[in-house]
Short mmCIF file of all heavy atoms in Angstrom, two decimals:
data_model
loop_
_atom_site.label_atom_id
_atom_site.label_comp_id
_atom_site.label_asym_id
_atom_site.label_seq_id
_atom_site.Cartn_x
_atom_site.Cartn_y
_atom_site.Cartn_z
N ILE A 18 75.54 -66.50 7.35
CA ILE A 18 74.92 -67.80 7.38
C ILE A 18 75.63 -68.68 6.25
O ILE A 18 75.89 -68.29 5.16
CB ILE A 18 73.46 -67.72 7.06
CG1 ILE A 18 72.83 -67.02 8.29
CG2 ILE A 18 72.87 -69.20 7.02
CD1 ILE A 18 71.30 -66.84 8.11
N GLY A 19 75.98 -70.00 6.70
CA GLY A 19 76.69 -70.78 5.69
C GLY A 19 75.78 -71.53 4.69
O GLY A 19 74.52 -71.30 4.79
N ASN A 20 76.31 -72.32 4.04
CA ASN A 20 75.56 -73.07 3.12
C ASN A 20 74.49 -74.01 3.59
O ASN A 20 73.46 -74.49 2.95
CB ASN A 20 76.47 -73.90 2.15
CG ASN A 20 77.14 -73.17 1.21
OD1 ASN A 20 76.76 -72.06 0.98
ND2 ASN A 20 78.33 -73.65 0.68
N GLU A 21 74.61 -74.37 4.91
CA GLU A 21 73.56 -75.29 5.50
C GLU A 21 72.18 -74.60 5.62
O GLU A 21 71.18 -75.34 5.81
CB GLU A 21 74.05 -75.75 6.85
CG GLU A 21 74.16 -74.65 7.90
CD GLU A 21 75.57 -73.95 8.01
OE1 GLU A 21 76.31 -74.11 7.11
OE2 GLU A 21 75.68 -73.21 8.98
N PHE A 22 72.18 -73.31 5.38
CA PHE A 22 70.78 -72.60 5.37
C PHE A 22 70.29 -72.20 3.93
O PHE A 22 69.31 -71.55 3.90
CB PHE A 22 70.95 -71.30 6.38
CG PHE A 22 71.19 -71.73 7.69
CD1 PHE A 22 72.40 -71.48 8.27
CD2 PHE A 22 70.20 -72.30 8.52
CE1 PHE A 22 72.59 -71.80 9.63
CE2 PHE A 22 70.36 -72.55 9.86
CZ PHE A 22 71.54 -72.35 10.47
N SER A 23 70.96 -72.70 2.99
CA SER A 23 70.69 -72.24 1.68
C SER A 23 69.35 -72.75 1.08
O SER A 23 68.79 -72.18 0.18
CB SER A 23 71.76 -72.62 0.73
OG SER A 23 71.87 -74.11 0.59
N GLU A 24 68.81 -73.69 1.81
CA GLU A 24 67.44 -74.22 1.37
C GLU A 24 66.34 -73.75 2.23
O GLU A 24 65.13 -74.08 1.98
CB GLU A 24 67.50 -75.71 1.26
CG GLU A 24 68.39 -76.30 0.26
CD GLU A 24 68.53 -77.73 0.09
OE1 GLU A 24 67.51 -78.41 0.58
OE2 GLU A 24 69.38 -78.35 -0.45
N ILE A 25 66.62 -72.81 3.12
CA ILE A 25 65.61 -72.45 4.03
C ILE A 25 64.71 -71.31 3.41
O ILE A 25 65.37 -70.24 2.84
CB ILE A 25 66.15 -71.95 5.37
CG1 ILE A 25 66.72 -73.11 6.17
CG2 ILE A 25 64.99 -71.18 6.36
CD1 ILE A 25 67.39 -72.74 7.39
N VAL A 26 63.50 -71.32 3.49
CA VAL A 26 62.65 -70.12 3.18
C VAL A 26 61.65 -69.92 4.32
O VAL A 26 60.98 -70.87 4.75
CB VAL A 26 61.78 -70.36 1.88
CG1 VAL A 26 60.94 -69.32 1.60
CG2 VAL A 26 62.66 -70.66 0.68
N ILE A 27 61.54 -68.73 4.77
CA ILE A 27 60.60 -68.41 5.77
C ILE A 27 59.18 -68.09 5.27
O ILE A 27 59.13 -67.30 4.16
CB ILE A 27 61.07 -67.22 6.63
CG1 ILE A 27 62.46 -67.39 7.28
CG2 ILE A 27 60.09 -66.71 7.81
CD1 ILE A 27 62.62 -68.60 8.19
N VAL A 28 58.13 -68.76 5.77
CA VAL A 28 56.78 -68.45 5.23
C VAL A 28 56.09 -67.88 6.36
O VAL A 28 56.02 -68.63 7.60
CB VAL A 28 56.23 -69.72 4.76
CG1 VAL A 28 54.75 -69.53 4.38
CG2 VAL A 28 56.93 -70.31 3.52
N GLY A 29 55.46 -66.81 6.36
CA GLY A 29 54.79 -66.28 7.42
C GLY A 29 53.68 -65.24 7.05
O GLY A 29 53.46 -64.89 5.88
N ASP A 30 53.00 -64.83 8.05
CA ASP A 30 51.71 -63.94 7.69
C ASP A 30 51.74 -62.63 8.58
O ASP A 30 50.78 -62.03 8.74
CB ASP A 30 50.40 -64.72 7.83
CG ASP A 30 50.29 -65.15 9.39
OD1 ASP A 30 51.11 -64.91 10.25
OD2 ASP A 30 49.17 -65.75 9.68
N THR A 31 53.01 -62.31 9.12
CA THR A 31 53.11 -60.97 9.86
C THR A 31 54.34 -60.24 9.42
O THR A 31 55.30 -60.70 8.82
CB THR A 31 53.38 -61.27 11.35
OG1 THR A 31 54.64 -61.80 11.58
CG2 THR A 31 52.16 -62.20 11.86
N VAL A 32 54.34 -58.95 9.69
CA VAL A 32 55.41 -58.10 9.43
C VAL A 32 56.63 -58.50 10.10
O VAL A 32 57.80 -58.58 9.47
CB VAL A 32 55.12 -56.67 9.82
CG1 VAL A 32 56.31 -55.68 9.73
CG2 VAL A 32 53.98 -56.07 8.92
N ASN A 33 56.48 -59.05 11.28
CA ASN A 33 57.66 -59.63 12.15
C ASN A 33 58.29 -60.72 11.39
O ASN A 33 59.51 -60.90 11.52
CB ASN A 33 57.25 -59.97 13.53
CG ASN A 33 57.14 -58.58 14.41
OD1 ASN A 33 57.74 -57.63 14.10
ND2 ASN A 33 56.39 -58.68 15.38
N ASP A 34 57.58 -61.57 10.81
CA ASP A 34 58.01 -62.75 10.04
C ASP A 34 59.03 -62.12 8.94
O ASP A 34 60.10 -62.64 8.70
CB ASP A 34 56.97 -63.51 9.39
CG ASP A 34 56.22 -64.20 10.37
OD1 ASP A 34 56.72 -64.58 11.38
OD2 ASP A 34 54.82 -64.33 10.15
N ILE A 35 58.62 -61.18 8.13
CA ILE A 35 59.43 -60.52 7.08
C ILE A 35 60.71 -60.04 7.65
O ILE A 35 61.74 -60.16 7.21
CB ILE A 35 58.62 -59.52 6.37
CG1 ILE A 35 57.34 -60.04 5.74
CG2 ILE A 35 59.52 -58.73 5.36
CD1 ILE A 35 56.35 -58.93 5.14
N LYS A 36 60.64 -59.18 8.79
CA LYS A 36 61.70 -58.59 9.47
C LYS A 36 62.67 -59.51 9.93
O LYS A 36 63.82 -59.28 9.79
CB LYS A 36 61.29 -57.66 10.60
CG LYS A 36 60.43 -56.46 10.19
CD LYS A 36 60.05 -55.61 11.26
CE LYS A 36 59.43 -54.29 10.90
NZ LYS A 36 59.05 -53.49 12.10
N THR A 37 62.19 -60.61 10.49
CA THR A 37 63.08 -61.54 11.05
C THR A 37 63.86 -62.40 9.91
O THR A 37 65.06 -62.55 10.06
CB THR A 37 62.34 -62.68 11.84
OG1 THR A 37 61.71 -61.90 12.92
CG2 THR A 37 63.15 -63.71 12.47
N ALA A 38 63.24 -62.70 8.89
CA ALA A 38 63.91 -63.33 7.71
C ALA A 38 65.00 -62.39 7.21
O ALA A 38 66.08 -62.84 6.91
CB ALA A 38 62.89 -63.62 6.67
N LYS A 39 64.64 -61.17 6.93
CA LYS A 39 65.65 -60.19 6.45
C LYS A 39 66.72 -60.10 7.40
O LYS A 39 67.92 -59.87 6.95
CB LYS A 39 64.92 -58.87 6.16
CG LYS A 39 64.03 -59.09 4.88
CD LYS A 39 63.41 -57.72 4.54
CE LYS A 39 62.65 -57.79 3.38
NZ LYS A 39 63.49 -57.94 2.06
N LEU A 40 66.61 -59.97 8.67
CA LEU A 40 67.60 -60.00 9.66
C LEU A 40 68.60 -61.08 9.49
O LEU A 40 69.83 -60.80 9.71
CB LEU A 40 67.07 -59.93 11.10
CG LEU A 40 68.10 -59.75 12.15
CD1 LEU A 40 68.73 -58.46 12.31
CD2 LEU A 40 67.40 -60.18 13.61
N PHE A 41 68.19 -62.20 9.19
CA PHE A 41 69.14 -63.41 9.06
C PHE A 41 69.41 -63.63 7.63
O PHE A 41 70.09 -64.63 7.25
CB PHE A 41 68.41 -64.60 9.61
CG PHE A 41 68.40 -64.51 11.10
CD1 PHE A 41 67.29 -64.15 11.80
CD2 PHE A 41 69.53 -64.87 11.91
CE1 PHE A 41 67.23 -64.08 13.22
CE2 PHE A 41 69.55 -64.87 13.19
CZ PHE A 41 68.47 -64.40 13.87
N GLY A 42 68.94 -62.77 6.65
CA GLY A 42 69.32 -62.93 5.22
C GLY A 42 68.75 -64.14 4.63
O GLY A 42 69.27 -64.68 3.64
N LEU A 43 67.47 -64.40 5.05
CA LEU A 43 66.72 -65.45 4.44
C LEU A 43 65.62 -65.05 3.60
O LEU A 43 64.93 -63.99 3.82
CB LEU A 43 66.20 -66.35 5.65
CG LEU A 43 67.16 -67.05 6.49
CD1 LEU A 43 66.53 -67.64 7.77
CD2 LEU A 43 67.88 -68.18 5.77
N PRO A 44 65.23 -65.74 2.57
CA PRO A 44 64.13 -65.33 1.71
C PRO A 44 62.90 -65.60 2.49
O PRO A 44 62.83 -66.47 3.33
CB PRO A 44 64.11 -66.38 0.42
CG PRO A 44 65.03 -67.46 1.01
CD PRO A 44 66.01 -67.00 2.04
N VAL A 45 61.90 -64.70 2.13
CA VAL A 45 60.68 -64.67 2.93
C VAL A 45 59.50 -64.68 2.00
O VAL A 45 59.38 -63.85 1.14
CB VAL A 45 60.58 -63.67 3.99
CG1 VAL A 45 60.71 -62.27 3.43
CG2 VAL A 45 59.36 -63.72 4.83
N VAL A 46 58.42 -65.56 2.15
CA VAL A 46 57.27 -65.54 1.45
C VAL A 46 56.11 -65.13 2.55
O VAL A 46 55.95 -65.82 3.61
CB VAL A 46 56.74 -67.00 0.92
CG1 VAL A 46 55.38 -67.00 0.45
CG2 VAL A 46 57.87 -67.48 -0.01
N SER A 47 55.46 -64.05 2.05
CA SER A 47 54.42 -63.64 3.06
C SER A 47 52.97 -64.02 2.45
O SER A 47 52.76 -63.85 1.25
CB SER A 47 54.34 -62.09 3.10
OG SER A 47 55.51 -61.62 3.73
N ILE A 48 52.24 -64.54 3.39
CA ILE A 48 50.83 -65.02 2.90
C ILE A 48 49.89 -64.33 3.69
O ILE A 48 49.90 -64.33 5.01
CB ILE A 48 50.75 -66.54 3.14
CG1 ILE A 48 51.78 -67.22 2.42
CG2 ILE A 48 49.24 -67.04 2.64
CD1 ILE A 48 51.84 -68.67 2.64
N ALA A 49 49.01 -63.56 3.16
CA ALA A 49 48.07 -62.56 3.87
C ALA A 49 46.88 -63.40 4.43
O ALA A 49 45.71 -63.25 4.02
CB ALA A 49 47.51 -61.52 2.94
N THR A 50 47.17 -64.41 5.32
CA THR A 50 46.12 -65.18 5.92
C THR A 50 45.77 -64.82 7.39
O THR A 50 44.90 -65.30 7.91
CB THR A 50 46.37 -66.62 5.71
OG1 THR A 50 47.61 -66.81 6.55
CG2 THR A 50 46.44 -67.09 4.41
N GLY A 51 46.57 -63.89 7.92
CA GLY A 51 46.39 -63.44 9.35
C GLY A 51 45.78 -62.11 9.34
O GLY A 51 44.93 -61.70 8.45
N LYS A 52 46.11 -61.25 10.33
CA LYS A 52 45.47 -59.94 10.49
C LYS A 52 46.08 -58.88 9.58
O LYS A 52 45.52 -57.85 9.40
CB LYS A 52 45.77 -59.40 11.96
CG LYS A 52 47.13 -59.21 12.33
CD LYS A 52 47.15 -58.70 13.81
CE LYS A 52 48.53 -58.08 14.16
NZ LYS A 52 48.63 -57.56 15.50
N PHE A 53 47.12 -59.18 8.80
CA PHE A 53 47.81 -58.24 7.91
C PHE A 53 47.27 -58.47 6.52
O PHE A 53 47.35 -59.63 6.02
CB PHE A 53 49.31 -58.30 7.95
CG PHE A 53 49.98 -57.82 9.25
CD1 PHE A 53 50.29 -58.74 10.21
CD2 PHE A 53 50.09 -56.46 9.50
CE1 PHE A 53 50.87 -58.29 11.40
CE2 PHE A 53 50.57 -56.05 10.71
CZ PHE A 53 51.09 -56.98 11.69
N LYS A 54 46.94 -57.44 5.80
CA LYS A 54 46.49 -57.41 4.47
C LYS A 54 47.77 -57.50 3.56
O LYS A 54 48.79 -57.15 4.02
CB LYS A 54 45.65 -56.29 4.04
CG LYS A 54 44.33 -56.10 4.76
CD LYS A 54 43.59 -54.96 4.35
CE LYS A 54 42.30 -54.93 5.16
NZ LYS A 54 41.36 -53.89 4.78
N LEU A 55 47.50 -58.02 2.38
CA LEU A 55 48.57 -58.09 1.41
C LEU A 55 49.26 -56.82 1.12
O LEU A 55 50.51 -56.82 1.14
CB LEU A 55 48.02 -58.69 0.15
CG LEU A 55 48.98 -59.17 -1.06
CD1 LEU A 55 49.95 -60.10 -0.49
CD2 LEU A 55 48.28 -59.57 -2.23
N THR A 56 48.65 -55.71 1.14
CA THR A 56 49.18 -54.46 0.81
C THR A 56 50.06 -54.01 1.98
O THR A 56 51.18 -53.45 1.71
CB THR A 56 48.06 -53.35 0.54
OG1 THR A 56 47.15 -53.35 1.68
CG2 THR A 56 47.35 -53.54 -0.63
N GLU A 57 49.66 -54.33 3.14
CA GLU A 57 50.43 -54.08 4.33
C GLU A 57 51.71 -54.89 4.32
O GLU A 57 52.79 -54.27 4.58
CB GLU A 57 49.74 -54.38 5.64
CG GLU A 57 48.49 -53.40 5.81
CD GLU A 57 47.65 -53.82 6.98
OE1 GLU A 57 46.93 -54.81 6.86
OE2 GLU A 57 47.73 -53.18 8.03
N LEU A 58 51.69 -56.11 4.03
CA LEU A 58 52.77 -57.02 4.08
C LEU A 58 53.79 -56.61 2.98
O LEU A 58 55.04 -56.67 3.11
CB LEU A 58 52.49 -58.56 3.73
CG LEU A 58 51.66 -59.18 5.06
CD1 LEU A 58 51.12 -60.51 4.58
CD2 LEU A 58 52.52 -59.23 6.30
N SER A 59 53.27 -56.36 1.78
CA SER A 59 54.14 -55.95 0.64
C SER A 59 55.03 -54.71 0.85
O SER A 59 56.10 -54.55 0.34
CB SER A 59 53.26 -55.68 -0.56
OG SER A 59 52.51 -56.78 -0.98
N LYS A 60 54.50 -53.78 1.86
CA LYS A 60 55.26 -52.60 2.11
C LYS A 60 56.69 -53.06 2.76
O LYS A 60 57.62 -52.20 2.64
CB LYS A 60 54.50 -51.82 3.14
CG LYS A 60 53.39 -50.97 2.49
CD LYS A 60 52.62 -50.28 3.69
CE LYS A 60 51.37 -49.70 2.97
NZ LYS A 60 50.52 -49.00 4.02
N PHE A 61 56.84 -54.15 3.19
CA PHE A 61 58.03 -54.52 3.97
C PHE A 61 58.89 -55.40 3.02
O PHE A 61 59.95 -56.00 3.39
CB PHE A 61 57.79 -55.27 5.26
CG PHE A 61 57.20 -54.39 6.29
CD1 PHE A 61 55.87 -54.09 6.34
CD2 PHE A 61 58.05 -53.72 7.13
CE1 PHE A 61 55.34 -53.13 7.21
CE2 PHE A 61 57.55 -52.78 8.06
CZ PHE A 61 56.26 -52.49 8.05
N HIS A 62 58.57 -55.52 1.77
CA HIS A 62 59.30 -56.04 0.72
C HIS A 62 59.71 -57.62 0.80
O HIS A 62 60.95 -57.93 0.79
CB HIS A 62 60.62 -55.24 0.27
CG HIS A 62 60.16 -53.89 0.19
ND1 HIS A 62 59.71 -53.37 -0.99
CD2 HIS A 62 60.40 -52.81 0.98
CE1 HIS A 62 59.49 -52.05 -0.95
NE2 HIS A 62 59.95 -51.71 0.24
N PRO A 63 58.62 -58.50 1.07
CA PRO A 63 59.05 -59.86 1.15
C PRO A 63 59.40 -60.33 -0.30
O PRO A 63 59.21 -59.52 -1.20
CB PRO A 63 57.77 -60.60 1.49
CG PRO A 63 56.63 -59.67 1.06
CD PRO A 63 57.30 -58.24 1.19
N ASP A 64 60.14 -61.44 -0.47
CA ASP A 64 60.48 -61.97 -1.70
C ASP A 64 59.40 -62.30 -2.51
O ASP A 64 59.40 -62.31 -3.72
CB ASP A 64 61.58 -63.07 -1.51
CG ASP A 64 62.80 -62.67 -0.94
OD1 ASP A 64 63.60 -61.94 -1.54
OD2 ASP A 64 62.93 -62.94 0.41
N LEU A 65 58.26 -62.72 -1.91
CA LEU A 65 57.03 -63.17 -2.54
C LEU A 65 55.87 -62.74 -1.61
O LEU A 65 55.96 -63.10 -0.45
CB LEU A 65 56.95 -64.59 -2.94
CG LEU A 65 55.71 -65.16 -3.51
CD1 LEU A 65 55.33 -64.47 -4.92
CD2 LEU A 65 55.72 -66.61 -3.68
N ALA A 66 54.89 -62.20 -2.00
CA ALA A 66 53.73 -61.83 -1.19
C ALA A 66 52.39 -62.35 -1.99
O ALA A 66 52.25 -61.95 -3.17
CB ALA A 66 53.61 -60.42 -1.02
N ILE A 67 51.71 -63.24 -1.30
CA ILE A 67 50.51 -63.75 -1.84
C ILE A 67 49.24 -63.73 -0.94
O ILE A 67 49.54 -63.61 0.26
CB ILE A 67 50.87 -65.30 -2.35
CG1 ILE A 67 51.24 -66.11 -1.23
CG2 ILE A 67 51.76 -65.25 -3.64
CD1 ILE A 67 51.39 -67.63 -1.57
N SER A 68 48.14 -63.80 -1.58
CA SER A 68 46.92 -63.70 -0.71
C SER A 68 46.66 -65.00 0.04
O SER A 68 46.31 -65.07 1.26
CB SER A 68 45.71 -63.42 -1.56
OG SER A 68 45.82 -62.22 -2.21
N ASN A 69 46.72 -66.21 -0.66
CA ASN A 69 46.69 -67.51 0.00
C ASN A 69 47.26 -68.66 -0.79
O ASN A 69 47.43 -68.28 -2.10
CB ASN A 69 45.20 -67.86 0.35
CG ASN A 69 44.36 -67.80 -0.99
OD1 ASN A 69 44.43 -68.83 -1.75
ND2 ASN A 69 43.41 -66.89 -1.14
N LEU A 70 47.56 -69.62 -0.38
CA LEU A 70 48.11 -70.76 -0.91
C LEU A 70 47.31 -71.56 -1.95
O LEU A 70 47.64 -72.09 -2.90
CB LEU A 70 48.85 -71.79 0.00
CG LEU A 70 50.20 -71.38 0.63
CD1 LEU A 70 50.65 -72.40 1.68
CD2 LEU A 70 51.16 -71.24 -0.42
N LEU A 71 46.03 -71.52 -1.61
CA LEU A 71 45.02 -72.18 -2.41
C LEU A 71 44.87 -71.64 -3.80
O LEU A 71 45.07 -72.33 -4.95
CB LEU A 71 43.68 -72.39 -1.80
CG LEU A 71 42.71 -73.08 -2.42
CD1 LEU A 71 42.93 -74.60 -2.59
CD2 LEU A 71 41.26 -73.06 -1.71
N ASP A 72 44.76 -70.26 -3.89
CA ASP A 72 44.60 -69.58 -5.20
C ASP A 72 45.88 -69.35 -5.81
O ASP A 72 45.94 -69.14 -6.94
CB ASP A 72 43.77 -68.25 -4.88
CG ASP A 72 42.37 -68.57 -4.47
OD1 ASP A 72 41.82 -69.60 -4.70
OD2 ASP A 72 41.82 -67.65 -3.71
N GLU A 73 47.00 -69.29 -5.03
CA GLU A 73 48.25 -68.78 -5.71
C GLU A 73 49.31 -69.93 -5.61
O GLU A 73 50.61 -69.66 -5.41
CB GLU A 73 48.70 -67.46 -5.13
CG GLU A 73 47.61 -66.35 -5.41
CD GLU A 73 47.88 -65.18 -4.84
OE1 GLU A 73 48.94 -64.47 -5.30
OE2 GLU A 73 47.21 -64.60 -3.87
N LYS A 74 48.98 -71.17 -5.58
CA LYS A 74 49.78 -72.35 -5.41
C LYS A 74 50.88 -72.35 -6.43
O LYS A 74 52.05 -72.53 -6.09
CB LYS A 74 48.97 -73.59 -5.38
CG LYS A 74 49.73 -74.88 -5.27
CD LYS A 74 48.82 -76.11 -5.32
CE LYS A 74 49.58 -77.32 -5.41
NZ LYS A 74 48.62 -78.46 -5.58
N LEU A 75 50.52 -72.14 -7.64
CA LEU A 75 51.50 -72.07 -8.88
C LEU A 75 52.59 -71.12 -8.54
O LEU A 75 53.76 -71.38 -8.72
CB LEU A 75 50.88 -71.94 -10.18
CG LEU A 75 51.78 -72.06 -11.42
CD1 LEU A 75 52.39 -73.60 -11.36
CD2 LEU A 75 50.97 -71.92 -12.63
N GLN A 76 52.21 -69.94 -8.18
CA GLN A 76 53.13 -68.72 -7.98
C GLN A 76 54.13 -69.20 -6.80
O GLN A 76 55.34 -68.98 -6.91
CB GLN A 76 52.38 -67.56 -7.62
CG GLN A 76 53.27 -66.25 -7.58
CD GLN A 76 52.46 -65.08 -7.39
OE1 GLN A 76 51.33 -65.02 -7.11
NE2 GLN A 76 53.17 -63.93 -7.21
N PHE A 77 53.59 -69.75 -5.75
CA PHE A 77 54.51 -70.17 -4.64
C PHE A 77 55.33 -71.23 -5.22
O PHE A 77 56.57 -71.30 -4.84
CB PHE A 77 53.53 -70.86 -3.46
CG PHE A 77 54.26 -71.17 -2.28
CD1 PHE A 77 55.10 -70.24 -1.54
CD2 PHE A 77 54.22 -72.44 -1.88
CE1 PHE A 77 55.70 -70.76 -0.40
CE2 PHE A 77 54.79 -72.92 -0.74
CZ PHE A 77 55.47 -71.98 0.07
N GLN A 78 54.82 -72.28 -5.88
CA GLN A 78 55.72 -73.37 -6.34
C GLN A 78 56.85 -72.83 -7.32
O GLN A 78 57.96 -73.29 -7.15
CB GLN A 78 54.87 -74.47 -7.07
CG GLN A 78 54.04 -75.27 -6.17
CD GLN A 78 53.07 -76.11 -6.83
OE1 GLN A 78 52.65 -75.89 -7.92
NE2 GLN A 78 52.75 -77.29 -6.25
N ASN A 79 56.49 -71.92 -8.12
CA ASN A 79 57.46 -71.32 -8.94
C ASN A 79 58.66 -70.60 -8.27
O ASN A 79 59.80 -70.70 -8.68
CB ASN A 79 56.87 -70.42 -9.98
CG ASN A 79 55.98 -70.99 -11.06
OD1 ASN A 79 56.25 -72.31 -11.33
ND2 ASN A 79 55.12 -70.43 -11.73
N PHE A 80 58.23 -69.87 -7.19
CA PHE A 80 59.20 -69.29 -6.26
C PHE A 80 60.20 -70.29 -5.72
O PHE A 80 61.34 -70.05 -5.73
CB PHE A 80 58.45 -68.48 -5.29
CG PHE A 80 59.42 -67.76 -4.29
CD1 PHE A 80 60.08 -66.71 -4.60
CD2 PHE A 80 59.68 -68.35 -3.05
CE1 PHE A 80 61.07 -66.06 -3.77
CE2 PHE A 80 60.53 -67.91 -2.16
CZ PHE A 80 61.36 -66.68 -2.50
N LEU A 81 59.65 -71.28 -5.13
CA LEU A 81 60.40 -72.24 -4.49
C LEU A 81 61.25 -73.00 -5.58
O LEU A 81 62.52 -73.34 -5.30
CB LEU A 81 59.60 -73.44 -3.86
CG LEU A 81 58.80 -72.90 -2.63
CD1 LEU A 81 58.01 -74.15 -2.01
CD2 LEU A 81 59.71 -72.46 -1.59
N SER A 82 60.80 -73.33 -6.87
CA SER A 82 61.71 -73.97 -7.85
C SER A 82 62.77 -72.96 -8.27
O SER A 82 63.92 -73.44 -8.56
CB SER A 82 60.72 -74.29 -9.08
OG SER A 82 59.86 -75.28 -8.75
N SER A 83 62.60 -71.76 -8.22
CA SER A 83 63.59 -70.80 -8.72
C SER A 83 64.71 -70.68 -7.70
O SER A 83 65.77 -70.22 -7.95
CB SER A 83 62.94 -69.37 -8.82
OG SER A 83 62.65 -68.75 -7.52
N ARG A 84 64.36 -71.10 -6.45
CA ARG A 84 65.47 -71.06 -5.34
C ARG A 84 66.20 -72.35 -5.21
O ARG A 84 67.16 -72.49 -4.54
CB ARG A 84 64.72 -70.82 -4.05
CG ARG A 84 63.91 -69.62 -4.06
CD ARG A 84 64.15 -68.50 -3.11
NE ARG A 84 65.25 -68.51 -2.38
CZ ARG A 84 66.25 -67.60 -2.32
NH1 ARG A 84 66.23 -66.64 -3.35
NH2 ARG A 84 67.33 -67.62 -1.67
N ALA A 85 65.73 -73.42 -5.92
CA ALA A 85 66.35 -74.77 -5.90
C ALA A 85 67.75 -74.58 -6.46
O ALA A 85 68.01 -74.00 -7.43
CB ALA A 85 65.59 -75.77 -6.56
N MET A 86 68.58 -75.38 -5.74
CA MET A 86 70.04 -75.45 -6.27
C MET A 86 70.28 -76.66 -7.21
O MET A 86 69.85 -77.77 -6.91
CB MET A 86 71.05 -75.40 -5.08
CG MET A 86 70.73 -74.19 -4.36
SD MET A 86 72.15 -73.89 -3.15
CE MET A 86 72.82 -72.35 -4.01
#
């Protein structure tokens, strides 16, 4: 993937979201708001795994800031 994708971050709540992001070499944030629990999502090694955006907004923002070019 070229530089045109350097600012993309996949955000999802399923194992397939993690697998798809990794397939394309994209960073992935997993949010346990769906049927998968945080522990289940974490087993697939997303770049960041959080319970929800409301309680972990700062952690999410810090992750995005660390990726900024």
Side-chain angles (χ1 to χ4, degrees):
I18 295 177
N20 287 339
E21 65 271 15
F22 295 106
S23 65
E24 295 182 18
I25 294 175
V26 174
I27 302 300
V28 177
D30 62 359
T31 71
V32 169
N33 283 335
D34 296 328
I35 300 168
K36 289 179 177 179
T37 301
K39 290 185 172 287
L40 179 67
F41 289 97
L43 297 169
V45 59
V46 176
S47 293
I48 305 174
T50 56
K52 69 178 186 176
F53 293 96
K54 294 181 180 181
L55 188 60
T56 53
E57 294 172 287
L58 293 170
S59 295
K60 291 177 185 176
F61 291 86
H62 309 287
D64 296 287
L65 176 66
I67 58 177
S68 298
N69 64 69
L70 281 176
L71 184 61
D72 295 336
E73 299 178 69
K74 179 180 171 183
L75 184 59
Q76 191 176 1
F77 182 66
Q78 289 174 327
N79 288 341
F80 175 78
L81 293 178
S82 294
S83 73
R84 310 237 9 116
M86 302 198 109

